[in-house]
Amino acid sequence: DGGITQSPKYLFRKEGQNVTLSCEQNLNHDAMYWYRQDPGQGLRLIYYSQIVNDFQKGDIAEGYSVSREKKESFPLTVTSAQKNPTAFYLCASGRLGGYTFGSGTRLTVV
Amino acid sequence: GQQLNQSPQSMFIQEGEDVSMNCTSSSIFNTWLWYKQDPGEGPVLLIALYKAGELTSNGRLTAQFGITRKDSFLNISASIPSDVGIYFCAGREGGSNYKLTFGKGTLLTVNP
């Protein structure tokens, strides 16, 4: 079955460290997206990519970086420059009919 | 960035009641989508609407694409405890860009 996989489900990071969240899809979708969700908040767009080797900043890109070297993969790095990184991170891949979301990664900074 | 105006923000209802939520936008959309998010999981697509005036059902769920193309509503009939979650509307403006604009969500709580 096709789908989108995020790993790990839970991640703990020490303050000041970079951490990379994985997102892989086998849906053959061109577009992929990263969102951040805080308690009681909606979905805020961090970065998106519409094609391999190209990506654009979303609404809250500061302190994050991405790469899109393969169609199937769109990893997100949370850098030490992100002042408040504790959140639930969602990856999605898109087509005309809508997005398919992964099950999310909950990042906690300790 | 642009966001849709989704209301209500939260709802607390009794099992068996019907529920209605809606989204409005200042922009015209070519596609309206409704997602449900269970706690600790990613949103799952419930209903997709592609044509103004379209009314689509999925079990106890019914959604409509507004005639003006600037609004959509979702109804849930005879609610059950597993309907609990956050419901998001999303719209796409068209063209080759797949990017969606999301509402802030409606948190639904169902009291058994």
Side-chain angles (χ1 to χ4, degrees), chain A residues 81-103:
Chain A
Q82 168 52 233
K83 298 303 179 189
N84 186 20
T86 295
F88 188 54
Y89 291 87
L90 285 162
C91 179
S93 66
R95 56 180 178 85
L96 283 176
Y99 293 176
T100 300
F101 283 89
S103 57

Side-chain angles (χ1 to χ4, degrees), chain A residues 9-10 30-31 33 35 37 40-45 48 50 59 88 90 94-104 106, chain B residues 1-3 9 31 33 35 37 40-45 48 50 86 88 92 95-105:
Chain A
K9 181 68 175 175
Y10 300 94
D30 287 318
Y33 308 83
Y35 287 89
Q37 187 176 30
Q41 300 294 314
L43 305 174
R44 292 189 289 169
L45 183 63
Y48 66 102
Q50 298 198 85
D59 302 319
F88 188 54
L90 285 162
R95 56 180 178 85
L96 283 176
Y99 293 176
T100 300
F101 283 89
S103 57
R106 185 165 300 280
Chain B
Q2 179 189 11
Q3 282 200 314
Q9 211 169 7
T31 303
L33 304 161
Y35 286 86
Q37 183 181 28
E41 297 296 327
V44 173
L45 182 65
Y50 302 107
I86 302 175
F88 291 100
R92 191 177 75 86
S96 60
N97 189 338
Y98 300 156
K99 190 161 164 276
L100 296 176
T101 300
F102 283 88
K104 290 192 174 182

Side-chain angles (χ1 to χ4, degrees), chain A residues 3-83:
Chain A
I4 182 164
T5 302
Q6 289 187 243
S7 61
K9 181 68 175 175
Y10 300 94
L11 191 54
F12 294 87
R13 185 196 99 176
K14 289 186 178 180
E15 200 169 331
Q17 289 181 339
N18 292 355
V19 63
T20 297
L21 281 59
S22 170
C23 180
E24 303 278 334
Q25 56 102 356
N26 60 4
L27 298 165
N28 200 33
H29 289 169
D30 287 318
M32 296 187 74
Y33 308 83
W34 274 104
Y35 287 89
R36 170 180 172 141
Q37 187 176 30
D38 295 286
Q41 300 294 314
L43 305 174
R44 292 189 289 169
L45 183 63
I46 304 172
Y47 267 98
Y48 66 102
S49 167
Q50 298 198 85
I51 197 167
V52 174
N53 292 323
D54 187 45
F55 49 82
Q56 286 79 39
K57 293 182 179 180
D59 302 319
I60 56 165
E62 186 175 351
Y64 300 98
S65 66
V66 294
S67 63
R68 186 84 187 279
E69 297 176 1
K70 298 186 301 182
K71 187 175 187 177
E72 299 80 15
S73 179
F74 192 40
L76 174 73
T77 296
V78 184
T79 75
S80 56
Q82 168 52 233
K83 298 303 179 189

Side-chain angles (χ1 to χ4, degrees), chain B:
Chain B
Q2 179 189 11
Q3 282 200 314
L4 301 177
N5 182 21
Q6 184 172 351
S7 64
Q9 211 169 7
S10 62
M11 302 181 74
F12 188 94
I13 62 171
Q14 295 294 122
E15 184 176 359
E17 289 184 356
D18 296 344
V19 170
S20 184
M21 59 192 77
N22 68 82
C23 275
T24 59
S25 169
S26 57
S27 300
I28 289 175
F29 287 114
N30 286 346
T31 303
W32 280 97
L33 304 161
W34 286 92
Y35 286 86
K36 182 197 177 193
Q37 183 181 28
D38 290 327
E41 297 296 327
V44 173
L45 182 65
L46 297 173
I47 292 179
L49 302 158
Y50 302 107
K51 189 177 176 182
E54 181 180 354
L55 184 71
T56 297
S57 294
N58 179 6
R60 294 177 296 106
L61 278 61
T62 301
Q64 185 159 30
F65 193 140
I67 291 293
T68 65
R69 295 166 65 189
K70 291 184 177 182
D71 64 324
S72 178
F73 72 76
L74 175 71
N75 286 345
I76 304 173
S77 63
S79 58
I80 59 177
S82 62
D83 290 335
V84 164
I86 302 175
Y87 291 79
F88 291 100
C89 63
R92 191 177 75 86
E93 293 188 39
S96 60
N97 189 338
Y98 300 156
K99 190 161 164 276
L100 296 176
T101 300
F102 283 88
K104 290 192 174 182
T106 295
L107 175 61
L108 178 63
T109 304
V110 180
N111 190 30

